Amino acid sequence: MDYNFDEIIDRKNTNAIKWDASSSTDILPMWIADMDFKTAPEIIEVLQNRVSHGVFGYTQTPEEFYISIQNWWKRRYELSLEKEWIIPVTGVIPALSTTIRSLTEKGDKIIIQPPVYNHFYNSIENCNREVSENNLIYDNGIYTIDFVDLERKATDPKAKLLLISNPHNPVGRVWTKEELQRIALICQKHNVIVISDEIHCDLVFSVYKHISFASLEDQYASNSITLASISKSFNLAGLQVGYIFTKNASLYNEIKYILQMQEMELLSPFAIEALIAAYNKGENWLEELKIYLYNNYTFLHQFIASEIPEIKVVPLQATYLVWLDCSALKPSSDEIAITILEKQNLWINSGTMYGNEGEGFLRINIACPQKILSEGLERLKKALVKSEI
Ligand SMILES: Cc1ncc(COP(=O)(O)O)c(C=O)c1O
């Protein structure tokens, strides 16, 4: 290993939402989706050089920004992107809200697949659009898509967009080409545009393969928009950078227009430098990170199987967010999460944060040094001792 993911970094008093949102000094936060590792040293060096320059005026997005994105997707996902398809943005959630505002009217419906990332609900509701829930099917520990229900929801003339998490946060699924093609076919038939949030795509574990929605057949790719970022893969969420791409010129123009109207087009010089450095110099770090994360997942899996067998770990194909099936425990997810916090100062998410379908589940973030993970699991075990809960 060239990089040290075991290093414990004190993030307290850095205004990190994960660590500083609670006033408790003994809190162990394993909730919000960022990592407790330093980003790649190659990225830090580039940012340090930029800081040394000392002038941080309005910054244009250079050609290199687009080229590094194009090379990344070509190299890793066999996807050729034209520069004219790419729109830089300050994050995936801002991109999502902009896309919703650009392509739908107040009162339109947007289909999502719960349990799913909570901000999908927020973005839709903040834009005064309606959520239409195409719940995933959970059977025998595995999540799949309910295509019959999807078709029913897509048939509603008010349904204008389907928003997918590809790979899926929080259930950890990597959607297969066949699954994406079935989604694509249904959506095309009913004039529903697909927004594919691929923010977690670089964190797919080795036996699985990320399929970008944009790499499907031309007619399907043209009916879609992809949202992506370096923020999860390289732990750079605070720098606020991401991008949208679509090969459909009319969708591109509508989104670009709203971004211009909202004066949201400029990125910070650090965002630009970080993206270029991540995609050009960060790949070795990312590959080692994935090995470390998978080891953490295995560690968690073994711990829970032997120490807290009432909990079932939903198989993790991607991301560092593990979905725990706690339905065998009596209390609700919210009650369990509160008990864990109150008794052991361990902060993990109740499944209901991701919609009603999350009842019976907890989400735990394992992107931390294994020593910290081990401490978190011990706290989880103590909190769940039968007599206490
Ligand atoms: C599926 C998904 N989309 C978007 C985001 C947030 O994106 P950003 O920080 O770029 O706005 C997250 C963060 O956890 C996520 O899980």
Side-chain angles (χ1 to χ4, degrees):
M1 283 275 205
D2 289 334
Y3 304 97
N4 179 12
F5 296 100
D6 284 325
E7 184 187 356
I8 295 176
I9 297 155
D10 183 3
R11 297 183 64 195
K12 271 263 175 212
N13 303 315
T14 61
N15 295 324
I17 294 178
K18 189 177 186 180
W19 286 86
D20 287 332
S22 160
S23 53
S24 163
T25 48
D26 184 37
I27 198 89
L28 184 47
M30 301 180 87
W31 62 293
I32 196 171
D34 70 23
M35 307 195 268
D36 292 328
F37 310 119
K38 278 189 191 171
T39 191
E42 294 82 356
I43 301 174
I44 296 173
E45 191 187 346
V46 167
L47 291 175
Q48 276 167 340
N49 289 339
R50 187 65 188 84
V51 169
S52 305
H53 183 260
V55 184
F56 311 112
Y58 296 118
T59 307
Q60 61 184 10
T61 306
E63 197 65 23
E64 229 186 318
F65 180 92
Y66 298 94
I67 293 171
S68 52
I69 294 173
Q70 287 168 306
N71 289 343
W72 185 258
W73 284 83
K74 183 81 197 156
R75 198 162 66 235
R76 294 183 69 90
Y77 307 114
E78 297 145 41
L79 178 63
S80 299
L81 299 174
E82 305 283 332
K83 182 192 168 191
E84 291 66 35
W85 302 353
I86 304 170
I87 307 175
V89 285
T90 55
V92 165
I93 292 307
L96 175 58
S97 304
T98 305
T99 304
I100 292 173
R101 288 206 177 87
S102 315
L103 306 180
T104 62
E105 306 280 335
K106 279 188 185 158
D108 279 347
K109 290 187 182 170
I110 295 162
I111 307 169
I112 58 173
Q113 300 181 309
V116 75
Y117 178 51
N118 47 314
H119 278 284
F120 283 10
Y121 286 94
N122 302 349
S123 289
I124 296 168
E125 283 156 8
N126 290 344
C127 295
N128 294 313
R129 275 50 163 182
E130 268 183 52
V131 170
S132 169
E133 292 178 310
N134 166 226
N135 297 334
L136 296 176
I137 298 169
Y138 180 62
D139 188 24
N140 228 352
I142 303 291
Y143 278 93
T144 51
I145 293 168
D146 185 342
F147 291 104
V148 174
D149 180 67
L150 176 59
E151 176 123 36
R152 206 179 304 126
K153 300 278 156 65
T155 313
D156 182 341
K158 287 192 115 190
K160 298 289 162 47
L161 305 176
L162 165 69
L163 174 52
I164 62 169
S165 182
N166 177 31
H168 192 97
N169 170 17
V171 309
R173 268 296 317 274
V174 173
W175 303 122
T176 62
K177 189 165 187 183
E178 292 66 37
E179 286 170 317
L180 295 173
Q181 278 168 326
R182 283 185 76 179
I183 291 178
L185 187 65
I186 292 171
C187 288
Q188 200 197 28
K189 188 167 145 202
H190 298 289
N191 293 321
V192 171
I193 298 163
V194 178
I195 306 178
S196 183
D197 178 341
E198 300 187 8
I199 196 168
H200 295 283
C201 73
D202 300 321
L203 298 173
V204 167
F205 297 117
S206 59
V207 292
Y208 303 96
K209 191 171 184 275
H210 173 64
I211 308 291
S212 177
F213 203 90
S215 68
L216 299 183
E217 292 78 350
D218 203 49
Q219 77 269 24
Y220 300 145
S222 300
N223 188 43
S224 79
I225 292 156
T226 304
L227 313 178
S229 174
I230 52 169
S231 66
K232 299 294 155 199
S233 331
F234 294 95
N235 206 24
L236 294 165
L239 291 191
Q240 298 188 307
V241 59
Y243 52 93
I244 301 171
F245 58 82
T246 177
K247 61 167 25 175
N248 182 321
S250 122
L251 298 179
Y252 174 99
N253 288 333
E254 287 179 62
I255 295 168
K256 190 92 179 152
Y257 173 72
I258 298 289
L259 272 176
Q260 274 162 356
M261 296 293 285
Q262 294 177 333
E263 285 146 27
M264 279 173 57
E265 282 189 299
L266 286 190
L267 296 181
S268 92
F270 301 112
I272 293 168
E273 295 286 348
L275 184 136
I276 296 169
Y279 283 171
N280 293 347
K281 302 176 174 184
E283 209 155 3
N284 291 341
W285 181 89
L286 177 67
E287 290 310 318
E288 285 197 12
L289 167 77
K290 286 202 298 182
I291 294 169
Y292 194 91
L293 291 176
Y294 201 76
N295 279 340
N296 269 4
Y297 168 63
T298 310
F299 181 82
L300 168 136
H301 207 288
Q302 286 166 354
F303 183 97
I304 292 189
S306 72
E307 305 295 324
I308 330 174
E310 304 82 4
I311 295 183
K312 299 280 166 263
V313 179
V314 175
L316 188 71
Q317 302 178 348
T319 84
Y320 48 76
L321 306 163
V322 187
W323 195 233
L324 303 176
D325 179 348
C326 304
S327 53
L329 302 172
K330 282 269 158 1
S332 70
S333 301
D334 288 358
E335 284 165 336
I336 299 174
I338 290 168
T339 304
I340 293 168
L341 185 61
E342 285 177 350
K343 289 199 189 301
Q344 287 295 322
N345 258 327
L346 175 66
W347 190 352
I348 61 180
N349 295 115
S350 163
T352 56
M353 197 163 171
Y354 310 95
N356 293 335
E357 287 301 290
E359 180 51 59
F361 294 83
L362 297 171
R363 194 192 78 170
I364 184 165
N365 176 346
I366 58 164
C368 58
Q370 203 167 97
K371 211 165 157 212
I372 305 282
L373 175 61
S374 167
E375 163 71 20
L377 292 171
E378 289 296 341
R379 290 192 192 198
L380 184 65
K381 181 178 139 188
K382 280 189 203 142
L384 295 181
V385 168
K386 276 202 183 69
S387 58
E388 292 206 24
I389 192 151

